[in-house]
Coordinates of all heavy atoms in Angstrom, one line a residue:
M1475 N -11.3 -1.5 4.6 CA -10.0 -1.8 4.1 C -9.4 -0.9 3.1 O -8.2 -0.6 3.2 CB -9.9 -3.3 3.6 CG -10.1 -4.3 4.5 SD -9.2 -4.4 6.2 CE -7.6 -4.1 5.8
T1476 N -10.2 -0.4 2.3 CA -9.8 0.6 1.2 C -9.3 1.8 1.7 O -8.3 2.4 1.3 CB -10.8 0.7 0.1 OG1 -12.0 1.2 0.7 CG2 -11.1 -0.6 -0.7
R1477 N -10.0 2.4 2.6 CA -9.6 3.7 3.3 C -8.3 3.5 4.1 O -7.4 4.4 3.9 CB -10.8 4.2 4.1 CG -10.7 5.6 4.3 CD -11.9 6.3 5.0 NE -13.1 5.5 4.8 CZ -14.1 5.7 5.7 NH1 -13.9 6.5 6.8 NH2 -15.2 4.9 5.6
L1478 N -8.3 2.5 4.9 CA -7.1 2.4 5.7 C -5.9 2.0 4.8 O -4.8 2.5 5.1 CB -7.2 1.3 6.8 CG -6.1 1.0 7.7 CD1 -5.7 2.2 8.5 CD2 -6.4 -0.1 8.7
G1479 N -6.1 1.1 3.9 CA -5.0 0.7 3.0 C -4.4 1.8 2.1 O -3.3 2.0 2.0
R1480 N -5.4 2.8 1.8 CA -4.8 4.0 1.0 C -4.0 4.8 1.9 O -3.0 5.4 1.4 CB -6.1 4.8 0.5 CG -5.7 5.9 -0.3 CD -6.9 6.7 -0.9 NE -6.6 7.8 -1.5 CZ -6.6 8.0 -2.9 NH1 -7.1 7.0 -3.6 NH2 -6.3 9.2 -3.4
K1481 N -4.3 4.9 3.1 CA -3.6 5.8 4.0 C -2.2 5.1 4.4 O -1.1 5.7 4.4 CB -4.3 6.1 5.3 CG -5.4 7.1 5.0 CD -6.1 7.4 6.3 CE -7.2 8.4 6.0 NZ -7.9 8.8 7.3
A1482 N -2.3 3.8 4.6 CA -1.1 3.0 5.0 C -0.2 2.8 3.8 O 1.1 3.0 4.0 CB -1.4 1.6 5.5
F1483 N -0.6 2.5 2.6 CA 0.3 2.3 1.5 C 0.6 3.6 0.7 O 1.3 3.5 -0.3 CB -0.3 1.3 0.5 CG -0.3 -0.1 1.1 CD1 0.2 -0.3 2.4 CD2 -0.9 -1.1 0.4 CE1 0.2 -1.7 2.9 CE2 -0.8 -2.5 0.9 CZ -0.4 -2.7 2.0
R1484 N -0.1 4.7 1.0 CA 0.1 5.9 0.4 C -0.3 5.9 -1.1 O 0.2 6.6 -2.1 CB 1.6 6.5 0.4 CG 2.0 6.7 1.9 CD 3.4 7.0 1.9 NE 4.3 5.9 1.6 CZ 4.6 4.9 2.3 NH1 4.1 4.8 3.6 NH2 5.4 3.9 1.9
R1485 N -1.2 5.0 -1.4 CA -1.9 4.8 -2.8 C -3.1 3.9 -2.7 O -3.3 3.3 -1.6 CB -0.7 4.1 -3.7 CG -0.5 2.7 -3.2 CD 0.3 1.9 -4.2 NE 0.7 0.7 -3.7 CZ 0.0 -0.4 -3.5 NH1 -1.2 -0.4 -3.9 NH2 0.6 -1.6 -3.1
P1486 N -3.9 3.9 -3.7 CA -5.1 3.1 -3.6 C -4.6 1.6 -3.7 O -3.8 1.2 -4.4 CB -5.8 3.4 -4.7 CG -5.4 4.6 -5.3 CD -3.9 4.8 -4.9
L1487 N -5.4 0.7 -2.9 CA -5.1 -0.7 -3.0 C -5.6 -1.3 -4.3 O -6.7 -0.8 -4.8 CB -5.8 -1.4 -1.8 CG -4.9 -1.6 -0.5 CD1 -4.7 -0.2 0.1 CD2 -5.6 -2.4 0.4
T1488 N -5.0 -2.3 -4.8 CA -5.5 -2.9 -6.0 C -6.7 -3.9 -5.5 O -6.8 -4.1 -4.4 CB -4.4 -3.8 -6.7 OG1 -3.9 -4.9 -5.8 CG2 -3.2 -3.0 -7.1
T1489 N -7.4 -4.3 -6.5 CA -8.5 -5.2 -6.2 C -8.0 -6.4 -5.6 O -8.7 -7.0 -4.5 CB -9.2 -5.5 -7.6 OG1 -9.6 -4.4 -8.2 CG2 -10.5 -6.4 -7.2
E1490 N -6.9 -7.0 -5.9 CA -6.4 -8.2 -5.3 C -6.0 -8.0 -3.9 O -6.1 -8.9 -3.0 CB -5.2 -8.7 -6.1 CG -5.5 -9.2 -7.5 CD -5.6 -8.1 -8.5 OE1 -5.1 -7.0 -8.3 OE2 -6.2 -8.3 -9.6
E1491 N -5.4 -6.8 -3.5 CA -5.0 -6.4 -2.2 C -6.3 -6.4 -1.3 O -6.2 -6.8 -0.2 CB -4.1 -5.2 -2.2 CG -2.9 -5.4 -2.8 CD -2.0 -4.1 -2.9 OE1 -2.7 -3.0 -3.1 OE2 -0.8 -4.1 -2.9
V1492 N -7.3 -5.7 -1.7 CA -8.5 -5.6 -1.1 C -9.1 -6.9 -0.8 O -9.4 -7.2 0.5 CB -9.5 -4.7 -1.7 CG1 -10.8 -4.6 -1.1 CG2 -9.0 -3.2 -1.9
E1493 N -9.2 -7.8 -1.7 CA -9.8 -9.2 -1.5 C -8.9 -10.0 -0.6 O -9.4 -10.7 0.3 CB -9.8 -9.8 -2.9 CG -10.9 -9.2 -3.9 CD -10.8 -10.0 -5.1 OE1 -10.0 -10.7 -5.5 OE2 -11.7 -9.5 -6.0
R1494 N -7.6 -9.8 -0.7 CA -6.7 -10.5 0.3 C -6.9 -10.1 1.7 O -7.1 -11.0 2.6 CB -5.2 -10.3 -0.1 CG -4.3 -11.0 0.7 CD -2.8 -10.8 0.5 NE -2.4 -10.4 -1.0 CZ -1.7 -9.5 -1.2 NH1 -1.0 -8.8 -0.2 NH2 -1.5 -9.0 -2.4
Y1495 N -6.9 -8.9 2.0 CA -7.1 -8.4 3.3 C -8.4 -8.6 3.9 O -8.7 -8.9 5.0 CB -6.5 -6.9 3.4 CG -5.1 -6.7 3.4 CD1 -4.5 -6.1 2.3 CD2 -4.2 -7.4 4.2 CE1 -3.2 -6.0 2.1 CE2 -2.8 -7.3 4.1 CZ -2.3 -6.6 3.0 OH -1.0 -6.5 2.8
A1496 N -9.5 -8.4 2.9 CA -10.8 -8.7 3.4 C -10.9 -10.3 3.7 O -11.6 -10.6 4.6 CB -11.7 -8.3 2.3
G1497 N -10.3 -11.1 2.9 CA -10.3 -12.5 3.2 C -9.7 -12.8 4.5 O -10.1 -13.8 5.2
V1498 N -8.6 -12.2 4.8 CA -7.9 -12.4 6.0 C -8.8 -12.1 7.2 O -8.9 -12.8 8.2 CB -6.6 -11.6 6.2 CG1 -6.0 -11.5 7.6 CG2 -5.5 -12.2 5.2
A1499 N -9.5 -10.9 7.1 CA -10.3 -10.5 8.1 C -11.6 -11.5 8.3 O -12.0 -11.8 9.4 CB -10.9 -9.0 7.9
E1500 N -12.1 -11.9 7.1 CA -13.3 -12.8 7.2 C -12.8 -14.2 7.8 O -13.6 -14.7 8.7 CB -13.8 -13.0 5.8 CG -15.1 -13.8 5.8 CD -15.6 -13.9 4.3 OE1 -15.4 -12.9 3.6 OE2 -16.2 -15.0 4.0
N1501 N -11.8 -14.8 7.4 CA -11.2 -16.1 7.9 C -11.0 -16.0 9.3 O -11.3 -16.9 10.2 CB -10.0 -16.5 7.2 CG -10.4 -16.9 5.7 OD1 -11.6 -17.2 5.4 ND2 -9.4 -16.9 4.9
A1502 N -10.3 -14.9 9.7 CA -9.9 -14.8 11.2 C -11.2 -14.5 12.1 O -11.2 -15.1 13.1 CB -8.9 -13.6 11.4
A1503 N -12.2 -13.8 11.5 CA -13.4 -13.5 12.3 C -14.1 -14.7 12.5 O -14.7 -15.2 13.6 CB -14.2 -12.5 11.6
Q1504 N -14.1 -15.6 11.5 CA -14.8 -17.0 11.5 C -14.1 -17.9 12.7 O -14.7 -18.6 13.3 CB -14.9 -17.6 10.3 CG -16.0 -17.0 9.3 CD -16.0 -17.7 8.0 OE1 -15.3 -18.5 7.7 NE2 -16.9 -17.2 7.1
A1505 N -12.8 -17.9 12.5 CA -12.0 -18.7 13.4 C -12.0 -18.2 14.8 O -12.2 -19.1 15.7 CB -10.6 -18.8 12.9
L1506 N -12.1 -17.0 15.1 CA -12.1 -16.4 16.4 C -13.6 -16.3 16.9 O -13.9 -16.1 18.1 CB -11.4 -15.1 16.5 CG -9.9 -15.1 16.2 CD1 -9.4 -13.6 16.1 CD2 -9.2 -15.8 17.2
G1507 N -14.6 -16.2 16.0 CA -15.9 -15.9 16.4 C -16.1 -14.5 16.8 O -17.0 -14.2 17.6
D1508 N -15.2 -13.6 16.3 CA -15.2 -12.2 16.8 C -14.9 -11.3 15.5 O -13.8 -11.4 14.9 CB -14.3 -12.0 17.9 CG -14.2 -10.5 18.4 OD1 -15.2 -9.9 18.2 OD2 -13.1 -10.2 18.8
F1509 N -15.9 -10.5 15.2 CA -15.7 -9.7 13.9 C -14.5 -8.7 14.1 O -13.6 -8.6 13.2 CB -16.9 -8.8 13.7 CG -16.7 -7.8 12.7 CD1 -16.8 -8.2 11.3 CD2 -16.6 -6.5 13.0 CE1 -16.7 -7.2 10.3 CE2 -16.5 -5.4 12.0 CZ -16.5 -5.9 10.7
F1510 N -14.3 -8.1 15.3 CA -13.3 -7.2 15.5 C -11.9 -7.8 15.7 O -10.8 -7.2 15.3 CB -13.5 -6.3 16.8 CG -14.7 -5.4 16.7 CD1 -15.9 -5.6 17.2 CD2 -14.7 -4.3 15.8 CE1 -17.0 -4.8 17.1 CE2 -15.7 -3.5 15.6 CZ -16.9 -3.8 16.3
G1511 N -11.8 -9.1 16.0 CA -10.6 -9.8 16.1 C -10.2 -10.1 14.7 O -8.9 -10.1 14.4
G1512 N -11.1 -10.4 13.7 CA -10.8 -10.5 12.3 C -10.3 -9.3 11.8 O -9.1 -9.3 11.0
L1513 N -10.8 -8.1 12.0 CA -10.2 -6.8 11.6 C -8.9 -6.6 12.2 O -8.0 -6.1 11.5 CB -11.1 -5.6 12.1 CG -12.4 -5.5 11.2 CD1 -13.2 -4.3 11.9 CD2 -12.2 -5.3 9.9
E1514 N -8.6 -7.0 13.4 CA -7.3 -6.8 14.0 C -6.2 -7.6 13.1 O -5.1 -7.1 13.0 CB -7.3 -7.5 15.4 CG -6.0 -7.2 16.2 CD -6.0 -7.7 17.5 OE1 -7.1 -8.0 18.2 OE2 -5.1 -7.9 18.2
F1515 N -6.6 -8.8 12.7 CA -5.6 -9.5 11.8 C -5.3 -8.8 10.5 O -4.2 -8.9 10.0 CB -6.1 -10.9 11.6 CG -5.7 -11.9 12.8 CD1 -6.4 -11.9 14.0 CD2 -4.6 -12.8 12.6 CE1 -6.0 -12.9 15.0 CE2 -4.2 -13.6 13.7 CZ -4.9 -13.7 14.9
A1516 N -6.4 -8.4 10.0 CA -6.2 -7.7 8.6 C -5.4 -6.4 8.8 O -4.5 -6.1 7.9 CB -7.7 -7.3 8.1
V1517 N -5.6 -5.7 9.8 CA -4.9 -4.4 10.1 C -3.4 -4.8 10.3 O -2.5 -4.2 9.8 CB -5.5 -3.6 11.2 CG1 -4.6 -2.4 11.6 CG2 -6.8 -3.1 10.8
A1518 N -3.1 -5.9 11.1 CA -1.8 -6.4 11.4 C -1.2 -6.7 10.1 O 0.0 -6.4 9.8 CB -1.8 -7.5 12.3
G1519 N -1.9 -7.3 9.2 CA -1.3 -7.7 7.8 C -0.9 -6.5 7.0 O 0.2 -6.4 6.4
L1520 N -1.8 -5.4 7.1 CA -1.4 -4.2 6.4 C -0.1 -3.6 7.0 O 0.7 -3.2 6.2 CB -2.6 -3.1 6.6 CG -3.8 -3.3 5.5 CD1 -4.9 -2.3 6.0 CD2 -3.4 -3.0 4.2
L1521 N -0.1 -3.5 8.2 CA 1.0 -2.9 9.0 C 2.4 -3.7 8.9 O 3.4 -3.1 9.1 CB 0.7 -2.6 10.5 CG -0.5 -1.6 10.6 CD1 -0.8 -1.4 12.1 CD2 -0.2 -0.3 9.9
L1522 N 2.2 -5.0 8.5 CA 3.5 -5.7 8.4 C 3.9 -5.9 7.0 O 4.9 -6.5 6.6 CB 3.2 -7.2 9.0 CG 3.1 -7.2 10.5 CD1 2.7 -8.6 10.9 CD2 4.4 -6.8 11.1
S1523 N 3.1 -5.3 6.0 CA 3.4 -5.4 4.6 C 4.6 -4.6 4.3 O 4.8 -3.4 4.8 CB 2.3 -4.9 3.8 OG 2.6 -4.8 2.5
P1524 N 5.4 -5.0 3.3 CA 6.5 -4.2 2.9 C 6.1 -2.8 2.2 O 6.8 -1.8 2.2 CB 7.3 -4.9 1.8 CG 6.8 -6.3 2.2 CD 5.5 -6.3 2.6
D1525 N 4.9 -2.8 1.7 CA 4.3 -1.5 1.1 C 4.1 -0.5 2.2 O 4.1 0.8 1.9 CB 3.1 -1.8 0.3 CG 3.2 -2.6 -0.9 OD1 4.0 -2.1 -1.7 OD2 2.6 -3.6 -1.1
F1526 N 3.9 -0.9 3.5 CA 3.8 0.1 4.5 C 5.1 0.3 5.1 O 5.3 1.5 5.5 CB 2.8 -0.5 5.6 CG 2.7 0.4 6.8 CD1 2.0 1.6 6.8 CD2 3.3 -0.1 8.0 CE1 2.0 2.3 7.9 CE2 3.3 0.8 9.2 CZ 2.5 1.9 9.1
L1527 N 5.9 -0.6 5.3 CA 7.2 -0.5 6.0 C 8.3 0.2 5.3 O 9.2 0.9 5.9 CB 7.7 -1.9 6.4 CG 6.9 -2.6 7.5 CD1 7.4 -4.0 7.6 CD2 6.8 -1.9 8.8
F1528 N 8.3 0.1 4.0 CA 9.4 0.7 3.1 C 8.7 1.7 2.1 O 7.6 1.5 1.7 CB 10.2 -0.3 2.4 CG 10.7 -1.4 3.4 CD1 10.2 -2.7 3.4 CD2 11.8 -1.0 4.2 CE1 10.7 -3.7 4.3 CE2 12.3 -2.0 5.0 CZ 11.8 -3.3 5.0
R1529 N 9.5 2.6 1.6 CA 9.1 3.4 0.5 C 9.4 2.6 -0.8 O 10.5 2.3 -1.1 CB 9.9 4.6 0.4 CG 9.4 5.8 1.3 CD 10.2 7.0 1.3 NE 10.7 7.3 -0.1 CZ 11.9 7.9 -0.3 NH1 12.7 8.2 0.6 NH2 12.2 8.0 -1.6
I1530 N 8.3 2.3 -1.5 CA 8.5 1.5 -2.6 C 8.0 2.2 -3.9 O 6.8 2.5 -4.1 CB 7.7 0.1 -2.6 CG1 8.2 -0.6 -1.4 CG2 7.8 -0.6 -3.9 CD1 7.4 -1.9 -1.1
E1531 N 9.0 2.8 -4.6 CA 8.6 3.5 -5.8 C 9.3 2.8 -7.0 O 10.5 3.1 -7.2 CB 9.0 5.0 -5.8 CG 8.2 5.8 -4.8 CD 8.9 6.0 -3.6 OE1 10.1 5.8 -3.4 OE2 8.3 6.3 -2.5
L1532 N 8.6 1.9 -7.7 CA 9.3 1.1 -8.7 C 9.3 1.8 -10.0 O 10.2 1.7 -10.8 CB 8.6 -0.2 -8.8 CG 8.6 -1.1 -7.6 CD1 7.8 -2.3 -7.8 CD2 10.0 -1.4 -7.3
G1533 N 8.2 2.6 -10.3 CA 8.1 3.2 -11.6 C 7.9 2.3 -12.7 O 8.0 1.0 -12.7
A1534 N 7.7 2.8 -13.9 CA 7.5 2.1 -15.1 C 8.4 2.5 -16.1 O 8.9 3.7 -16.2 CB 6.1 2.2 -15.8
E1535 N 8.8 1.7 -17.0 CA 9.9 2.0 -18.0 C 9.3 3.1 -18.9 O 8.3 3.0 -19.4 CB 10.3 0.8 -18.8 CG 11.4 1.1 -19.8 CD 11.9 -0.1 -20.6 OE1 12.0 -1.2 -19.9 OE2 12.0 0.0 -21.7
D1536 N 10.2 4.2 -19.1 CA 9.8 5.3 -20.0 C 10.0 4.9 -21.4 O 11.2 4.5 -21.8 CB 10.6 6.5 -19.7 CG 10.2 7.7 -20.4 OD1 9.3 7.6 -21.3 OD2 10.8 8.8 -20.2
P1537 N 8.9 4.8 -22.3 CA 9.1 4.4 -23.6 C 10.1 5.2 -24.5 O 10.7 4.7 -25.4 CB 7.6 4.2 -24.2 CG 6.8 5.0 -23.3 CD 7.6 5.2 -21.9
A1538 N 10.1 6.5 -24.2 CA 10.9 7.3 -24.9 C 12.3 7.2 -24.6 O 13.2 7.4 -25.5 CB 10.4 8.8 -24.7
R1539 N 12.7 6.9 -23.3 CA 14.1 6.8 -22.9 C 14.1 5.5 -22.0 O 13.8 5.4 -20.9 CB 14.4 8.0 -22.0 CG 14.5 9.3 -22.8 CD 14.8 10.3 -21.9 NE 13.5 11.0 -21.7 CZ 13.2 11.8 -20.6 NH1 14.2 12.1 -19.8 NH2 12.0 12.3 -20.4
P1540 N 14.6 4.4 -22.7 CA 14.4 3.0 -22.1 C 15.3 2.8 -20.8 O 15.0 2.0 -20.0 CB 14.9 2.1 -23.2 CG 15.1 2.9 -24.4 CD 15.0 4.3 -24.0
L1541 N 16.3 3.6 -20.6 CA 17.2 3.5 -19.4 C 16.5 4.3 -18.2 O 17.0 4.1 -17.1 CB 18.6 4.1 -19.7 CG 19.4 3.2 -20.7 CD1 20.7 3.9 -21.0 CD2 19.5 1.8 -20.3
L1542 N 15.5 5.0 -18.3 CA 14.9 5.7 -17.2 C 13.6 5.1 -16.9 O 13.0 4.4 -17.7 CB 14.7 7.2 -17.7 CG 16.1 8.0 -18.0 CD1 15.7 9.4 -18.4 CD2 17.0 8.0 -16.9
V1543 N 13.1 5.5 -15.8 CA 11.8 5.0 -15.2 C 11.0 6.3 -15.1 O 11.4 7.3 -14.8 CB 11.8 4.1 -13.9 CG1 12.6 2.9 -14.2 CG2 12.4 5.0 -12.8
R1544 N 9.6 6.1 -15.2 CA 8.6 7.1 -15.0 C 7.8 6.7 -13.8 O 7.2 5.7 -13.8 CB 7.8 7.3 -16.3 CG 6.7 8.2 -16.2 CD 6.0 8.4 -17.6 NE 6.7 9.3 -18.4 CZ 6.5 9.5 -19.7 NH1 5.7 8.7 -20.3 NH2 7.2 10.4 -20.3
Y1545 N 7.6 7.6 -12.9 CA 6.8 7.4 -11.7 C 5.4 7.9 -12.0 O 5.1 8.9 -12.7 CB 7.3 8.2 -10.5 CG 8.7 7.8 -10.1 CD1 9.7 8.7 -10.0 CD2 8.9 6.4 -9.6 CE1 11.0 8.3 -9.6 CE2 10.2 6.1 -9.3 CZ 11.2 6.9 -9.2 OH 12.4 6.5 -8.8
D1546 N 4.5 7.0 -11.3 CA 3.0 7.5 -11.5 C 2.8 8.7 -10.5 O 3.7 9.0 -9.7 CB 2.0 6.3 -11.3 CG 2.0 5.7 -9.9 OD1 2.7 6.3 -9.1 OD2 1.3 4.7 -9.9
G1547 N 1.6 9.1 -10.4 CA 1.3 10.3 -9.5 C 1.5 9.9 -8.0 O 2.0 10.8 -7.3
Y1548 N 1.1 8.7 -7.6 CA 1.3 8.3 -6.2 C 2.7 8.2 -5.9 O 3.2 8.5 -4.8 CB 0.4 7.1 -6.0 CG -1.1 7.4 -6.1 CD1 -1.7 6.9 -7.1 CD2 -1.8 8.0 -5.1 CE1 -3.0 7.1 -7.3 CE2 -3.1 8.2 -5.2 CZ -3.7 7.8 -6.3 OH -5.0 8.0 -6.5
E1549 N 3.6 7.6 -6.8 CA 4.9 7.4 -6.4 C 5.6 8.7 -6.3 O 6.4 8.9 -5.5 CB 5.6 6.5 -7.5 CG 5.1 5.0 -7.5 CD 5.5 4.3 -8.7 OE1 5.6 4.8 -9.8 OE2 5.7 3.1 -8.6
L1550 N 5.4 9.6 -7.2 CA 5.9 11.0 -7.2 C 5.6 11.8 -6.0 O 6.4 12.4 -5.4 CB 5.6 11.7 -8.5 CG 6.2 13.1 -8.7 CD1 7.7 12.8 -8.9 CD2 5.7 13.6 -10.1
A1551 N 4.3 11.6 -5.6 CA 3.9 12.3 -4.5 C 4.6 11.9 -3.2 O 4.9 12.6 -2.3 CB 2.3 12.2 -4.2
S1552 N 4.7 10.5 -3.1 CA 5.4 9.9 -2.0 C 6.9 10.4 -1.9 O 7.4 10.7 -0.8 CB 5.3 8.3 -2.0 OG 6.0 7.8 -1.0
R1553 N 7.5 10.4 -3.0 CA 8.9 10.8 -3.0 C 9.0 12.3 -2.7 O 9.9 12.7 -1.8 CB 9.5 10.6 -4.4 CG 9.7 9.2 -4.8 CD 10.3 9.1 -6.1 NE 11.7 9.7 -6.2 CZ 12.9 9.0 -6.0 NH1 12.9 7.8 -5.6 NH2 14.0 9.7 -6.0
L1554 N 8.1 13.2 -3.1 CA 8.2 14.6 -2.8 C 7.8 14.8 -1.3 O 8.4 15.6 -0.7 CB 7.1 15.3 -3.6 CG 7.5 15.6 -5.1 CD1 6.4 16.1 -5.8 CD2 8.8 16.4 -5.1
S1555 N 7.0 14.0 -0.8 CA 6.6 14.2 0.7 C 7.7 13.9 1.5 O 7.9 14.6 2.5 CB 5.3 13.2 1.0 OG 5.7 11.9 1.1
Y1556 N 8.6 12.9 1.3 CA 9.7 12.6 2.1 C 10.8 13.7 1.8 O 11.5 14.0 2.7 CB 10.3 11.3 1.8 CG 9.3 10.2 2.5 CD1 8.4 9.5 1.8 CD2 9.7 9.9 3.9 CE1 7.6 8.5 2.4 CE2 8.9 8.9 4.4 CZ 7.9 8.2 3.7 OH 7.2 7.4 4.3
L1557 N 10.8 14.3 0.7 CA 11.8 15.4 0.3 C 11.6 16.6 1.2 O 12.4 17.2 1.7 CB 11.9 15.7 -1.2 CG 12.7 16.9 -1.5 CD1 14.2 16.6 -1.5 CD2 12.3 17.4 -2.9
L1558 N 10.2 16.9 1.2 CA 9.8 18.2 1.8 C 9.6 18.1 3.3 O 9.3 19.0 4.0 CB 8.4 18.7 1.1 CG 8.6 19.0 -0.3 CD1 7.1 19.3 -0.8 CD2 9.5 20.1 -0.6
R1559 N 9.8 16.8 3.8 CA 9.5 16.6 5.2 C 10.6 17.1 6.2 O 10.4 17.3 7.3 CB 9.4 15.1 5.6 CG 8.5 14.8 6.5 CD 8.3 13.3 6.5 NE 7.4 13.1 7.7 CZ 7.1 12.0 8.2 NH1 7.6 10.8 7.5 NH2 6.3 11.8 9.2
T1560 N 11.8 17.4 5.7 CA 12.9 17.8 6.5 C 12.8 19.2 7.1 O 12.0 20.0 7.2 CB 14.2 17.6 5.8 OG1 14.2 18.5 4.7 CG2 14.5 16.3 5.5

């Protein structure tokens, strides 16, 4: 989940996100009696997430300039990749 999530969300997944999607996979696998069926539900959850469907760069407030936001490395790389894509 961590490797696929990193590619899908264009950033590393948080611990809570990894636990959530792993839990989805585990619960679905138990309900279906099929390990790969559980993975299918977890991947579907990743692909239906707003973090995958939309570009989300929220940034953090810049302490030096309160009206501006500062992007972390992953947010800045995502913005640049869409700029350079044309």
Side-chain angles (χ1 to χ4, degrees):
M1475 291 312 312
T1476 57
R1477 198 173 339 155
L1478 179 61
R1480 183 180 175 102
K1481 290 180 180 183
F1483 289 0
R1484 297 171 298 279
R1485 61 169 174 79
L1487 271 67
T1488 63
T1489 305
E1490 294 82 22
E1491 290 171 330
V1492 171
E1493 290 173 359
R1494 181 182 338 136
Y1495 291 113
V1498 166
E1500 186 177 328
N1501 291 338
Q1504 287 178 356
L1506 297 171
D1508 180 25
F1509 174 77
F1510 294 106
L1513 285 180
E1514 183 178 343
F1515 274 83
V1517 170
L1520 278 171
L1521 298 179
L1522 290 172
S1523 171
D1525 289 309
F1526 174 73
L1527 295 173
F1528 304 107
R1529 277 184 33 214
I1530 300 176
E1531 292 97 19
L1532 299 175
E1535 186 176 314
D1536 189 354
R1539 294 174 262 163
L1541 297 177
L1542 300 177
V1543 294
R1544 175 178 276 166
Y1545 296 121
D1546 67 9
Y1548 293 104
E1549 292 171 328
L1550 188 58
S1552 179
R1553 289 180 65 88
L1554 286 172
S1555 73
Y1556 283 96
L1557 172 74
L1558 299 174
R1559 212 169 174 190
T1560 60

